[in-house]
């Protein structure tokens, strides 16, 4: 039962009118590629101490998390409409929450939405702190093969892009500032796995917390690691 899963992880159901946010202005090729960001959860239970999400317009309270109960229907109807109008778009998961929070292990909402992306052949950029994304490599592989890119992104080699977010690569420090998120060491292993499977994988080093993270040390470790697994830097 869904309500049992929600209660177990401290979430509530919430019905909404839309979960799509359209990009304003021109595409920023140096940052995110999205035409639309999609947020099927409200609030993020990773609850990183530096994050702006909990307590903001995206989640009014720091201890209240919601699942948008009609998310799959909204995604299906929106992508059906876009496809009918021949509008290709790059979609983004993870702008105001993490798509692979702990609840996702049992609820599988992100996985169900990825299946809808695959049905309508829409590419995706996923931003996460979690190695749980490895669970969905079967769907992501099919999507990477089948998705249709917007005309101005035809040069991309991968139709599934994954960005792992880091504020530090020190597991002990991360356990203090990112108490509910998978450890950086787990993310690095997941990056390696996804890169070997042919996905376009990158790093978002944010926020920059110089006093806590010794930024040059972190950069040195990350650059060394990216070089080992042959990711573009």
């Amino acid at each position: 039962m869904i309500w049992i899963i929600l209660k177990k992880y401290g979430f509530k159901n919430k019905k909404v009118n839309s979960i799509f946010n359209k990009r304003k202005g021109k595409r920023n090729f140096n940052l995110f590629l999205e035409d639309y960001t999609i947020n099927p959860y409200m609030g993020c239970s990773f609850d990183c101490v530096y994050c702006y999400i909990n307590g903001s317009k995206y989640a009014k309270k720091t201890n209240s998390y919601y699942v948008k109960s009609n998310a799959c229907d909204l995604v299906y109807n929106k992508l059906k409409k876009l496809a009918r109008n021949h509008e290709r778009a790059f979609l983004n998961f993870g702008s105001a929450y993490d798509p692979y929070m702990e609840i996702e292990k049992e609820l599988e909402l992100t996985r169900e939405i990825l299946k809808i992306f695959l049905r309508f052949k829409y590419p995706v950029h996923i931003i996460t702190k979690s190695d749980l994304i490895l669970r969905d490599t079967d769907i992501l592989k099919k999507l990477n093969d089948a998705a249709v890119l917007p005309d101005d992104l035809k040069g991309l080699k991968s139709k599934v892009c994954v960005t792992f977010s880091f504020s530090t690569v020190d597991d002990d420090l991360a356990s203090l500032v990112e108490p509910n998120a998978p450890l950086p060491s787990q993310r690095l292993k997941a990056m390696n796995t996804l890169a070997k499977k042919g996905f376009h994988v990158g790093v978002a080093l944010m926020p920059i917390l110089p006093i806590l993270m010794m930024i040059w040390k972190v950069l040195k470790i990350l650059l060394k690691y990216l070089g080992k697994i042959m990711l573009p830097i």
Side-chain angles (χ1 to χ4, degrees), residues 59-73:
K60 299 298 183 182
K61 298 179 181 180
T62 58
N63 60 349
S64 295
Y65 311 114
Y66 294 88
V67 172
K68 298 176 182 179
S69 57
N70 55 334
C72 287
D73 289 339

Side-chain angles (χ1 to χ4, degrees), residues 17 52 56 94 138 185:
N17 294 324
Y52 69 94
S56 72
D138 58 332
S185 57

Side-chain angles (χ1 to χ4, degrees), residues 66-176:
Y66 294 88
V67 172
K68 298 176 182 179
S69 57
N70 55 334
C72 287
D73 289 339
L74 291 171
V75 172
Y76 181 91
N77 291 334
K78 179 68 174 181
L79 294 189
K80 182 178 180 180
K81 181 179 179 180
L82 292 179
R84 186 187 298 127
N85 294 333
H86 305 288
E87 181 183 341
R88 306 314 304 180
F90 213 101
L91 309 176
N92 172 271
F93 261 155
S95 64
Y97 76 110
D98 195 296
Y100 289 101
M101 294 178 287
E102 193 174 14
I103 189 176
E104 178 63 22
K105 293 177 183 178
E106 297 186 59
L107 192 63
E108 297 191 356
L109 178 57
T110 293
R111 183 173 175 84
E112 291 304 310
I113 292 176
L114 286 174
K115 290 179 183 178
I116 301 173
F117 291 179
L118 176 59
R119 174 166 182 167
F120 291 102
K121 301 181 179 180
Y122 279 87
V124 65
H125 176 203
I126 300 172
I127 305 171
T128 185
K129 279 184 167 69
S130 179
D131 58 342
L132 181 59
I133 189 174
L134 296 177
R135 179 200 64 189
D136 294 337
T137 51
D138 58 332
I139 299 174
L140 295 175
K141 179 65 171 65
K142 294 176 182 177
L143 185 59
N144 204 29
D145 293 336
V148 179
L149 292 165
D151 289 341
D152 61 338
L153 293 176
K154 291 293 187 183
L156 281 182
K157 294 181 180 179
S158 181
K159 298 158 189 174
V160 173
C161 299
V162 181
T163 298
F164 284 90
S165 176
F166 291 85
S167 65
T168 178
V169 290
D170 184 294
D171 283 353
D172 291 332
L173 178 56
S175 66
L176 295 176

